Amino acid sequence: MAGHNHGIIHSDPAIIKWANMTTNRHKYFRWTRRTAWISFAYVILVPAMLGTAGYMADGKWDMRGKRRGDMISEF
C-alpha cells in the first residue's frame, strides 16, 4: 500500500527551504510601493477593467437560437 517507507528518498534542501519560506511568508511581508501597486492592480484595477468590458458588451450578442448565416449582433 502507498504511504509507507517514509524517508527512503532524500529530501532536497532547496525544496524544504522554499516550503518553509512560503509557509512563513506572512511573517516577513513588508508593504512597499511595489507590493502596494501589485495589490491595487489585482484587487481593484483588473476587476474594474473586466467589469467595464462586461458592461460595455452586455446584450450586444445573442447566440441563442441562431442559425448559419444569421447575425449575432443585436445593434
Side-chain angles (χ1 to χ4, degrees):
M1 292 251 146
H4 298 292
N5 302 327
H6 295 291
I8 289 178
I9 299 176
H10 294 289
S11 301
D12 187 4
I15 294 176
I16 294 172
K17 183 179 178 182
W18 177 78
N20 289 333
M21 181 198 62
T22 57
T23 303
N24 297 320
R25 184 173 300 204
H26 65 281
K27 295 179 184 176
Y28 305 107
F29 180 78
R30 186 175 297 162
W31 282 105
T32 61
R33 182 177 292 171
R34 181 176 184 266
T35 57
W37 170 248
I38 290 171
S39 299
F40 171 77
Y42 281 112
V43 172
I44 296 173
L45 190 62
V46 171
M49 289 172 49
L50 290 173
T52 302
Y55 180 76
M56 298 293 237
D58 186 34
K60 285 195 175 186
W61 300 287
D62 187 18
M63 300 291 205
R64 183 174 288 176
K66 297 295 181 179
R67 296 183 182 165
R68 187 180 304 160
D70 290 345
M71 297 291 293
I72 61 170
S73 62
E74 296 293 321
F75 293 68

